[in-house]
Amino acid sequence: MTEQEKIEILQHIIKIKSVNDNETEVADYIASLFAPYPNAKVEKVNYAPNRDNLVVTIGQPDRKRLGFSGHMDVVDPGDLSKWTHEPFGAEVADGKLFGRGASDMKTGLTAQVIAMLEFLESGTELPGEIRLLATVGEETGEYGAATLTDQGYADNLAGLVISEPSGLNEITYTARGVIDYKIESVGKASHSARPEFGINAIDNLLVYYNEIQKVMAPFDKVNPILGGVLHNVDLISGGEQINSIPAKAWLMANMRTIPEYPNQVFYDAIEKLVDELNQRPGFDLKVSYSFPEEAIPGKPDTPLVKLAQKVSKEVLGTAAKPVGSGGANDGAEFLRAKGDFTSIVYGPGSNTSHMPDEYVELSDFLKSIDLYKQLALEFLA
Amino acid sequence: MDQQEKINILQRIVQMETVNDHESFVADYLASLFETYPNAKVERVRYRTGRDNLVVTVGTGRRRTLGFAGHMDVVATGDPQKWQHKPFSGDITPDFKMHGRGTSDMKAGLAAMVIAALELLDQGQPKDGQLKLIATIAEETTMVGAEKLTEAGYLDDLDALVICEGSGLNVSYTHNGDIDYEVISYGKGAHSAAPQLGINAIENLMVYWQTAKAELAKFDETDPVLGQLLHNVTLMSGGEQINSIPAEAKLSGNIRLIPQTPARLVQDRLEALVAELNTRPGFDLELNYLLVGDALPGDPDNSFVQLVKRETETIVGHDVELAGDTGTTDGSKFVAAKAQFPVAIVGPGSETAHQVDEYVDLNQYLQAIELYKQLTLEFLSGE
């Protein structure tokens, strides 16, 4: 495949608006690229209308199986006036390709797709299998990865390379987990001149706010790579009218967990506090969670990490550095699959993920294709 | 007017959804009731489209003028699912109660003062003095209706004023003042996985909340009638998305003042507190006032107040104690009128104002009409 052809495939994928939806269009396009190769097994795994995951398997079964994975959804472009390039224009300037998803993470996904296509094109005899797991809904809850894991598509992997934009000079081998949760406080409305007839839902919610800080404080273990546990209240809302005692209020908090603590200890701590507070007169608090993810422990010296380092030195000249990631990724779901394997994040990108004028260096894109090919060949050998 | 017609008028205005807006529906309807009385002077005082205050003056001579005031807006219903009767149905139950948002606060009082005037007109009254009905907009939010009418001089010819708020036909002569304010906290957005790069606006706002609660609790003087200053945080919002450190957050608070704590004194304290917090690293708080109204002082021995007490006792058939009203009324703005006049607050209503299943006892409503008529005749004929 020529460089120009590779760039055109990437541009095609960037131009598809898959903002937290519509991943099927990406899946169909990628599937069409494999259509000329009957040896490639292509499966669409539906999550919701217009939201299909895509699984493509090539190579020899019953040997080692390496997973490639990337997500097909992108976040909203946000304020369009802050973009100097069309968010879905896939414009190329100064060796950079601009657009939503250029970094996070259609470039990494495309590079893995092209690596597989080139094996097929050249008729390379793979010493094992490569399975691409292209997912939906990563940005809003990793539910595509959850669906694929539940249905067994991630079973029996020997290793997994997620092409999220770590940058080609870094390999993420460990990642924080996430707990997003909501506390709803129900009170009783009354005129604010007669607070004694009501129950102030905001007051009770803020008692939770104060107490949870104390509850979280003892979880003070620090992961040498990821740091400590993070707990932030990021959203808050309550009340109906300024002169009415509020009947309802809620807050949402985002926790970033570390491998030292399974998420369950935090659920237990939160629920214990909620139960305790609900013993107090007038308190009516309720907790709910949305798409929590466990931390990915990982070690910096596993064979897959070492191999990725070796290959990066061969292809780029310098070995990529093993690091931790503050954000969660689909790996947290895939690691629930049957079989013991290492998951790493290694992919092209820039520090413009989720920002206006998101871009990727085209040279990184092209180099990453070679990296994935080399990595697959050596890993399966 | 027969009883059914009186109830129909109330039901009709309860069915008008004047939630912090659209008071013109009520104003137009009330004005239409006076159409057949050429001697009634009907004035609409527009605030903006859909929001007309209404002033109706009846009677002759300028010997004495008695004002009756009521507001036409109502507060939001909250969750309509929680109501046993639809909030704007005006349903009447066999126990002779009418249900709906505004029945108690305060469309029953408003309708009663209008019907009292209509019945007096039917009797060729008042002959010796004037009765002035003042129906306002926006009492529940900014009191801008009362403020504009006061500024325009509509209160200047009053010798006394009855505010027809739903007091359960108890009488009060003094009430709390009110400060509605908001505090906006500005932080700095960042990915929630890297909170050290941002400033959590909610966190800083919570520090304000705790400090302000403690600070305002120091205003611990007690008015023998009105009790203590009250401070409640009633609205709060903040943040952009779950995985971003919030760059902005806001809360709104409501402070009920007593005559011993003038609004200015409390404002000074809040401003000093915000200034102090803003010296701390990362804090950027902004304080805005949405409404400021002083407490209404009053004298229980005032002759008008005493008259209202006597007439109310006659109507309800038992002793009535003079009290203070914890809720503010348009009186906070009316007291800025050029004329000094005593104010009494008495009207039909229950303790369900601003709550679900708000209702008014229709017997009380009918009693209030009689009370307002009697009061008018007594006051205008008095010395």
Side-chain angles (χ1 to χ4, degrees):
Chain A
M1 206 180 290
T2 65
E3 282 193 1
Q4 191 51 40
E5 282 170 328
K6 292 174 186 175
I7 293 168
E8 279 167 14
I9 290 173
L10 176 57
Q11 284 180 308
H12 191 114
I13 291 179
I14 297 276
K15 284 179 183 171
I16 298 170
K17 287 187 190 173
S18 53
V19 178
N20 302 321
D21 196 0
N22 195 37
E23 294 94 338
T24 295
E25 203 179 330
V26 180
D28 286 344
Y29 175 67
I30 294 174
S32 77
L33 299 173
F34 286 96
Y37 307 103
N39 292 338
K41 188 177 176 200
V42 177
E43 296 164 88
K44 275 162 73 171
V45 182
N46 185 256
Y47 168 71
N50 215 21
R51 309 198 72 174
D52 286 300
N53 300 281
L54 185 74
V55 180
V56 180
T57 312
I58 65 168
Q60 292 190 57
D62 305 323
R63 296 200 185 178
K64 257 174 130 177
R65 182 189 286 162
L66 174 65
F68 277 174
S69 180
H71 62 83
M72 300 179 285
D73 55 314
V74 297
V75 297
D76 193 274
D79 185 351
L80 297 182
S81 69
K82 296 196 172 157
W83 287 74
T84 62
H85 298 272
E86 278 291 311
F88 298 99
E91 293 165 28
V92 174
D94 299 333
K96 295 182 173 79
L97 188 144
F98 291 86
R100 176 56 82 229
S103 175
D104 185 9
M105 59 159 289
K106 284 177 168 176
T107 302
L109 174 67
T110 305
Q112 290 185 324
V113 166
I114 292 174
M116 292 168 75
L117 287 170
E118 290 200 308
F119 284 138
L120 292 166
E121 196 182 45
S122 62
T124 306
E125 288 276 328
L126 290 172
E129 250 185 349
I130 303 175
R131 173 169 285 177
L132 174 74
L133 302 159
T135 62
V136 305
E138 193 274 347
E139 295 289 356
T140 44
E142 301 174 6
Y143 28 83
T147 304
L148 290 179
T149 306
D150 290 343
Q151 296 190 19
Y153 286 95
D155 287 351
N156 306 317
L157 294 177
L160 177 65
V161 180
I162 296 173
S163 48
E164 288 265 11
S166 60
L168 296 187
N169 56 344
E170 290 186 340
I171 299 162
T172 306
Y173 66 91
T174 178
R176 287 182 177 276
V178 171
I179 301 173
D180 288 341
Y181 73 91
K182 183 176 191 176
I183 299 285
E184 287 168 278
S185 167
V186 177
K188 182 165 174 266
S190 71
H191 198 292
S192 63
R194 294 289 178 82
E196 68 273 21
F197 292 147
I199 297 169
N200 191 322
I202 290 179
D203 275 4
N204 291 353
L205 187 68
L206 297 192
V207 171
Y208 173 86
Y209 179 92
N210 284 334
E211 294 299 317
I212 194 66
Q213 319 288 341
K214 296 176 207 163
V215 167
M216 288 297 162
F219 294 103
D220 57 355
K221 286 186 200 166
V222 176
N223 181 285
I225 303 296
L226 301 172
V229 173
L230 298 174
H231 178 272
N232 277 290
V233 173
D234 288 337
L235 289 167
I236 199 157
S237 174
E240 292 84 39
Q241 172 148 341
I242 195 157
N243 57 352
S244 293
I245 296 297
K248 268 186 188 165
W250 56 264
L251 63 77
M252 283 188 79
N254 170 272
M255 290 194 70
R256 302 274 165 174
T257 60
I258 54 176
E260 280 72 4
Y261 298 106
N263 282 355
Q264 190 61 45
V265 302
F266 299 112
Y267 307 147
D268 291 346
I270 291 166
E271 283 156 28
K272 180 162 171 272
L273 174 60
V274 166
D275 287 345
E276 278 170 14
L277 292 177
N278 280 341
Q279 304 301 313
R280 300 192 190 175
F283 276 73
D284 182 1
L285 304 176
K286 201 177 79 189
V287 62
S288 56
Y289 306 95
S290 50
F291 305 112
E293 296 296 343
E294 295 287 342
I296 300 174
K299 289 196 186 101
D301 54 359
T302 58
L304 181 57
V305 175
K306 290 197 146 170
L307 178 62
Q309 283 188 285
K310 174 176 167 281
V311 169
S312 64
K313 187 148 199 301
E314 286 162 14
V315 176
L316 306 170
T318 23
K321 210 174 87 191
V323 297
S325 166
N329 62 61
D330 276 343
E333 288 294 335
F334 290 135
L335 286 173
R336 291 194 288 110
K338 282 187 203 127
D340 219 6
F341 64 94
T342 305
S343 168
I344 63 168
V345 169
Y346 188 40
S350 63
N351 56 2
T352 55
S353 297
H354 297 213
M355 292 160 79
D357 283 340
E358 180 177 348
Y359 74 88
V360 68
E361 297 283 351
L362 283 174
S363 58
D364 280 356
F365 165 56
L366 297 170
K367 275 183 256 176
S368 65
I369 296 169
D370 293 339
L371 280 168
Y372 292 136
K373 282 164 71 177
Q374 192 65 23
L375 187 59
L377 286 173
E378 295 197 26
F379 183 81
L380 296 175
Chain B
M1 200 184 290
D2 69 26
Q3 181 175 303
Q4 192 53 46
E5 204 177 334
K6 293 172 184 175
I7 293 169
N8 290 347
I9 289 173
L10 173 58
Q11 194 172 42
R12 190 131 174 216
I13 66 172
V14 167
Q15 287 167 349
M16 294 176 182
E17 299 189 21
T18 55
V19 179
N20 302 320
D21 201 351
H22 313 299
E23 295 93 337
S24 292
F25 287 117
V26 175
D28 287 344
Y29 174 65
L30 296 181
S32 76
L33 300 174
F34 290 94
E35 264 169 18
T36 51
Y37 303 95
N39 293 333
K41 186 180 168 199
V42 175
E43 295 166 86
R44 284 183 180 77
V45 183
R46 174 152 291 192
Y47 175 61
R48 60 175 170 75
T49 308
R51 309 201 73 175
D52 288 311
N53 298 283
L54 184 74
V55 180
V56 180
T57 313
V58 303
T60 54
R62 312 202 107 238
R63 207 177 70 87
R64 268 185 157 184
T65 300
L66 175 62
F68 282 91
H71 62 85
M72 300 179 285
D73 55 312
V74 298
V75 297
T77 60
D79 183 356
Q81 302 294 324
K82 295 205 169 157
W83 289 69
Q84 299 204 358
H85 301 269
K86 285 186 181 153
F88 297 101
S89 64
D91 281 354
I92 298 164
T93 40
D95 53 2
F96 210 46
K97 286 174 182 164
M98 187 184 291
H99 300 263
R101 174 56 85 229
T103 46
S104 176
D105 186 8
M106 59 163 284
K107 285 176 169 172
L110 179 72
M113 79 183 194
V114 167
I115 291 166
L118 290 169
E119 291 202 303
L120 287 171
L121 283 167
D122 282 337
Q123 296 163 18
Q125 292 285 354
K127 281 189 279 209
D128 191 20
Q130 283 191 328
L131 173 60
K132 197 169 198 175
L133 307 179
I134 298 161
T136 63
I137 64 157
E139 192 268 352
E140 296 288 0
T141 49
T142 59
M143 303 187 195
V144 69
E147 188 179 343
K148 295 290 176 199
L149 290 175
T150 306
E151 281 170 11
Y154 282 94
L155 284 292
D156 289 350
D157 56 353
L158 295 190
D159 295 292
L161 175 66
V162 178
I163 297 177
C164 309
E165 285 274 3
S167 64
L169 293 187
N170 292 304
V171 179
S172 50
Y173 59 93
T174 177
H175 68 61
N176 290 96
D178 198 346
I179 297 175
D180 287 344
Y181 73 90
E182 63 178 16
V183 172
I184 306 171
S185 167
Y186 297 100
K188 183 163 173 262
H191 198 289
S192 63
Q196 72 281 1
L197 301 179
I199 296 169
N200 190 321
I202 291 177
E203 234 167 77
N204 290 352
L205 192 64
M206 296 303 103
V207 173
Y208 166 84
W209 175 76
Q210 284 201 299
T211 322
K213 250 188 136 59
E215 194 61 28
L216 293 192
K218 291 181 189 163
F219 288 107
D220 58 355
E221 280 174 276
T222 303
D223 182 277
V225 181
L226 299 176
Q228 289 192 324
L229 176 142
L230 297 174
H231 176 222
N232 280 290
V233 170
T234 47
L235 288 169
M236 187 171 56
S237 65
E240 294 81 41
Q241 67 180 58
I242 181 69
N243 58 351
S244 293
I245 297 299
E248 196 172 323
K250 187 171 109 169
L251 64 73
S252 302
N254 171 265
I255 300 168
R256 298 277 157 176
L257 301 167
I258 55 176
Q260 291 82 346
T261 56
R264 192 62 256 169
L265 191 69
V266 178
Q267 287 173 277
D268 287 347
R269 189 74 65 92
L270 279 181
E271 286 159 24
L273 171 66
V274 167
E276 190 275 312
L277 290 175
N278 278 341
T279 63
R280 301 190 192 179
F283 276 75
D284 184 2
L285 304 175
E286 178 188 314
L287 170 67
N288 299 311
Y289 299 107
L290 310 174
L291 171 73
V292 176
D294 268 311
L296 175 72
D299 173 8
D301 299 325
N302 175 276
S303 60
F304 173 69
V305 173
Q306 287 293 325
L307 171 69
V308 173
K309 173 175 149 68
R310 279 197 310 276
E311 292 300 330
T312 306
E313 285 172 341
T314 305
I315 294 287
V316 299
H318 56 75
D319 285 353
V320 167
E321 273 186 47
L322 291 172
D325 189 350
T326 50
T328 46
T329 71
D330 278 337
S332 284
K333 298 293 181 185
F334 292 147
V335 289
K338 282 190 201 118
Q340 295 281 312
F341 47 82
V343 177
I345 299 160
V346 60
S350 60
E351 286 184 337
T352 55
H354 297 212
Q355 299 180 45
V356 296
D357 290 331
E358 180 177 349
Y359 72 88
V360 68
D361 181 329
L362 288 171
N363 283 318
Q364 251 189 36
Y365 167 61
L366 297 170
Q367 284 178 325
I369 297 171
E370 293 311 308
L371 170 64
Y372 295 158
K373 277 158 56 181
Q374 212 45 46
L375 207 48
T376 305
L377 294 174
E378 286 294 324
F379 181 74
L380 294 185
S381 66
E383 292 304 320

